[in-house]
Amino acid sequence: MTAPGAAGPRTGRIVVVGASLAGLRAAEALRDEGFTGELTMIGDEPHAPYDRPPLSKAVLSGRLDCDHIELPRVRDIDARWLLGTPATGLDVPGHRVALADGRSMAYDRLLIATGTRARTWPARAGGGLDGVHVLRTREDAERLRGALLNGPSRVLVIGAGFTGGEVASSCAESGLAVTVTQRGAAPLAGALGGTVGRAAADWYHAAGVDLRLNTTVRALEGDPSGRLRRAVLSDGTVLDTEVAVVATGALANTEWLSGSGLAADHRGVVTDDRCRAMTTDGNPAEDIFATGDIARRPHPLHPGRLLRLNHWDGAVAQARTAAHHIVHGPGAQHLRQPLPAFWSQQFGHYLKSIGVPALADQVAITQGSLHQRRFVAAYGLEGRLIGAVAVDSPRVLDGYAALIEARAPFPPALGATDGPAHPDIIDAAFPGRDTGGTRDHPGHTPSAIAPAPNR
Amino acid sequence: MITKPGPQPPSHPLRLVVDLNRCQSYGQCVYAAPTVFRFHAEESLEYDYAPEGGVRREVERAAAACPVQAITLGGATEPAPGAHGDHR
Ligand SMILES: Cc1cc2nc3c(=O)[nH]c(=O)nc-3n(C[C@H](O)[C@H](O)[C@H](O)COP(=O)(O)OP(=O)(O)OC[C@H]3O[C@@H](n4cnc5c(N)ncnc54)[C@H](O)[C@@H]3O)c2cc1C
Ligand code: SF4
C-alpha cells in the first residue's frame, strides 16, 4: 500500500522502535546485511538493551545485580539512540513516527520491536495497592527484590505460567513462604498441556510451595494506608500476604500504532513470513516490519496459523529474518525459518522446548517418565510430530528437531535406550482447546486466534 | 537526548550472553571461567553478562571451549545510550 522510500535498499533511513533484544539484534543484522544508511534506535526504557530472562531467576534470587545483565553488542551499529523516548504514533502515508517529546522521526523503512508488557491487576480488585507487583523490566525486578528483602510473611504469585513458576521458585529458594494460584488444573498447562503440567506441579510441591489449582484471586485487600494485606481466593479462602506478583500473561505494546491502519491489537502486530507488517486490508506494508515478542507470524510448518512466540529465541532468530528482508527488499530470497525454541529454569529444573508444543493434541513420554527428574515429552498434532520438551535432558533435542523438520509421524520412532519401545499416547490436555486452538482466518485478519504460550 | 557514536574507547568493557536454547550443560565454561559461569541446581547455567576484574582471557577461553558455541562475546563499546544523553 505504501511505495518504498526513494532511497535504495542499502541506504536511506531506518528507524527501529523498541530498543531491547529484538531491536538490537535486528540493528546489528541490518549492518551485517550491508545497510549503510542512517539508523535510529528509539526506546522508552532509559537503559542500554539488557536481557530479561535473568530478572525472574538470578536477579530475583539476589545472585546477579541488574547492572550485570546488559546485552553484548556483537558489532558496531553506528546508530543514533533515542532512549527514554516513547513513540506515540505512526503516520504510515507520511512515513513518520511521533515521539512523546513532541518531535517526529521520518523513516524510509520502519522496524516495530516494542514487545509486550505484563498484564496488570485491575484497580477495582486491589491493583493499586502497595505490594502488588508485575515483572517485565529492571525496575520491576529491583522493586520486587526490595519487597522480598523486607521478609514478607507470604508471597502470593498469581498465575503458574513460566514467569509465575520462576518467581515462585526464586522466592522459595530465598526461604519465603509462597502461595501460587492457577486458574487451570496444572501449572504451565497453556504452553505445555496439563499432562506435562502435572509433573511441574510436583516441582512446586517438592519446593514447599502452596499451589492452589483451579483457583483464582477474587480481590486483593489492603490496610487503610494502602498496603496489601490479604487476598481473597475464589474458594473463599482469605490469605494473609504483603507481596503479590501478578503473572497472568502479557499484552502487546501496540497502543502507539492505533489508527495507523496496521493489523495490530493487544495480541500483537500481524506480519507475513518476511516480517512485513500487515495492514487491516490484508496486504503487507512494503516498508514496515515487525519482529520479536510483538510479532504474530506464520510458520511454514503450521500453515494457516499465526504464532506469537514470546520467547528469547524468537526475538533473536526473527531479527535476522527481518533485517534480511528490510535490506534486500521484496525480491529477497527466503531464509530458512528455524524451529521455535525456548527454555525455562525453575525449581532446580532446566526445561528446553523445540517446535510448538502448544499446538499439539497428543503427547507421549519418549524418554524417562513423568515421575522422574529427567524426561522428554514428544508432542503430536494429527499424527505428526510438532514439538518436544526436555526436562533436565539438555542434550537430546537436536534429534527431535530433525524429526520435526522432517514432519515425522507421531509418536516418533527414536529407539532411545532410556525410553519405552512403544510410548503411550496421552491427551496433551490443553485447557480450553475448544476455544483456544482454532485455525486462523485466511488473510491474517487481526481477529484470528493465535495459540501463544504466554510467559 | 540524542547521542551520536564517538570514537570507540580504548578498552571495551566485556559483555557476554549465553544462548540457553543451545547450551547443553557441558560445563566447559564453568571450568574455564568459574567466577563468570556457574551451575545453579544441577544443570541450569547462570552467568554474569558484564564481568569485572580482568577476566577477558578466561571468558574468551570459555567461549572457545563451549562445544555448542552457545556463548557470544561482545562489548559495550557503542555509546550506549542513556536517557539524558549520557554517553557510556
Ligand atoms: C521475567 C522474564 C523472564 C523471561 N525468561 C525467559 C526464558 O527463560 N526463556 C525464554 O526463552 N524467554 C524468556 N523471556 C522472554 C524474553 O525475554 C522475550 O522474548 C524478549 O525480551 C523479547 O524481546 P523483544 O525485544 O521482542 O521485546 P522486549 O524485550 O519486550 O522489548 C521491547 C522494548 O520496546 C520498548 N517499548 C515498548 N513500547 C514502546 C514505545 N511506544 N516506544 C518506544 N519503545 C517502546 C519496551 O520498553 C522494551 O524496551 C523472559 C521474559 C521476562 C519478562
Ligand atoms: S560450555 Fe557451552 S554448553 Fe557447556 S555449560 Fe557452558 S555454555 Fe553450556
Side-chain angles (χ1 to χ4, degrees):
Chain A
M1 55 165 273
T2 47
R10 287 169 191 263
T11 57
R13 297 158 301 180
I14 295 180
V15 170
V16 177
V17 184
S20 180
L21 181 65
L24 175 65
R25 289 295 174 253
E28 290 167 344
L30 285 167
R31 294 299 190 201
D32 282 341
E33 295 273 350
F35 175 67
T36 57
E38 250 177 62
L39 183 58
T40 304
M41 308 287 293
I42 297 172
D44 64 356
E45 291 187 86
H47 310 287
Y50 61 90
D51 214 17
R52 297 184 203 280
L55 294 178
S56 50
K57 309 176 186 82
V59 169
L60 206 53
S61 308
R63 294 188 298 272
L64 192 64
D65 192 272
C66 278
D67 292 333
H68 287 258
I69 58 173
E70 190 178 306
L71 285 164
R73 316 297 175 81
V74 296
R75 57 161 300 145
D76 198 333
I77 58 169
D78 187 17
R80 186 153 69 136
W81 292 81
L82 278 73
L83 295 183
T85 309
T88 50
L90 173 62
D91 171 2
V92 172
H95 285 78
R96 296 191 83 84
V97 174
L99 305 181
D101 59 15
R103 287 181 296 169
S104 78
M105 292 291 305
Y107 64 82
D108 297 304
R109 278 155 293 162
L110 172 70
L111 179 62
I112 297 168
T114 46
T116 57
R117 64 177 178 278
R119 194 189 286 272
T120 53
W121 194 251
R124 64 186 147 72
L129 293 169
D130 190 7
V132 181
H133 297 257
V134 294
L135 183 54
R136 179 82 200 172
T137 66
R138 280 179 65 151
E139 286 76 10
D140 292 339
E142 277 163 350
R143 217 176 294 129
L144 179 53
R145 171 84 188 136
L148 298 181
L149 285 174
N150 287 337
S153 67
R154 178 164 296 275
V155 179
L156 169 65
V157 179
I158 306 175
F162 287 109
T163 302
E166 290 169 4
V167 168
S169 165
S170 297
C171 292
E173 251 170 44
S174 311
L176 295 165
V178 187
T179 295
V180 180
T181 58
Q182 166 77 330
R183 182 188 293 274
L188 299 176
L192 305 181
T195 301
V196 171
R198 272 190 290 281
D202 294 341
W203 309 343
Y204 281 69
H205 295 140
V209 171
D210 168 31
L211 175 65
R212 310 279 182 104
L213 298 171
N214 302 307
T215 305
T216 56
V217 174
R218 212 177 279 156
L220 300 174
E221 295 177 354
D223 61 19
S225 61
R227 274 190 295 260
L228 174 68
R229 283 288 174 255
R230 285 172 303 278
V232 184
L233 308 186
S234 54
D235 60 7
T237 316
V238 177
L239 203 74
D240 289 330
T241 178
E242 300 89 60
V243 175
V245 186
V246 183
T248 52
L251 300 171
N253 293 318
T254 48
E255 287 73 11
W256 67 285
L257 300 171
S258 72
S260 66
L262 296 182
D265 61 18
H266 65 281
R267 292 166 302 170
V269 175
V270 180
T271 77
D272 67 4
D273 55 359
R274 298 160 176 248
C275 300
R276 291 183 298 190
M278 304 297 287
T279 60
T280 44
D281 59 20
N283 296 311
E286 288 299 334
D287 41 17
I288 304 177
F289 299 76
T291 184
D293 274 10
I294 201 168
R296 300 168 63 210
R297 57 187 303 228
H299 192 283
L301 286 178
H302 299 283
R305 306 248 190 201
L306 289 173
L307 306 180
R308 190 177 94 192
L309 296 169
N310 257 328
H311 295 294
W312 196 91
D313 184 72
V316 173
Q318 271 181 51
R320 244 171 270 132
T321 308
H324 175 80
H325 290 288
I326 293 173
V327 172
H328 300 293
Q333 233 183 326
H334 272 261
L335 296 181
R336 198 185 67 87
Q337 275 198 54
L339 290 175
F342 64 84
W343 83 91
S344 174
Q345 293 159 321
Q346 46 180 298
F347 301 111
H349 296 278
Y350 181 20
L351 179 153
K352 290 168 79 173
S353 166
I354 188 89
V356 192
L359 290 178
D361 52 18
Q362 291 182 317
V363 66
I365 306 307
T366 46
Q367 297 178 243
S369 89
L370 287 174
H371 311 291
Q372 290 170 347
R373 179 181 172 87
R374 300 167 194 276
F375 66 86
V376 183
Y379 287 78
L381 174 64
E382 292 158 7
R384 182 157 72 84
L385 179 70
I386 62 159
V389 168
V391 173
D392 294 318
S393 312
R395 288 160 212 173
V396 304
L397 284 186
D398 289 352
Y400 289 85
L403 290 171
I404 296 167
E405 301 252 30
R407 299 164 190 260
F410 176 85
L414 287 156
T417 49
D418 57 344
H422 301 286
D424 289 338
I425 299 173
I426 326 165
D427 184 344
F430 281 93
R433 202 14 87 71
D434 43 331
T435 54
T438 54
R439 277 178 187 267
D440 275 325
H441 307 201
H444 308 146
T445 59
S447 61
I449 293 164
N454 259 329
R455 279 220 53 100
Chain B
M1 187 155 298
I2 297 178
T3 64
K4 248 320 219 182
Q8 296 195 353
S11 69
H12 313 163
L14 177 67
R15 297 287 182 272
L16 64 115
V17 66
V18 179
D19 182 345
L20 289 171
N21 295 298
R22 238 190 232 187
C23 170
Q24 302 194 344
S25 306
Y26 283 105
Q28 273 88 335
C29 56
V30 180
Y31 295 112
T35 61
V36 178
F37 302 91
R38 62 180 166 265
F39 283 114
H40 179 64
E42 274 175 49
E43 316 244 7
S44 295
L45 188 71
E46 272 184 12
Y47 59 96
D48 185 344
Y49 291 67
E52 287 155 3
V55 290
R56 178 179 294 273
R57 178 125 353 121
E58 287 91 318
V59 171
E60 284 171 354
R61 224 177 282 138
C66 174
V68 290
Q69 281 102 48
I71 304 169
T72 301
L73 304 187
T77 52
E78 234 172 313
H84 307 291
D86 45 320
H87 295 240
R88 284 206 279 168

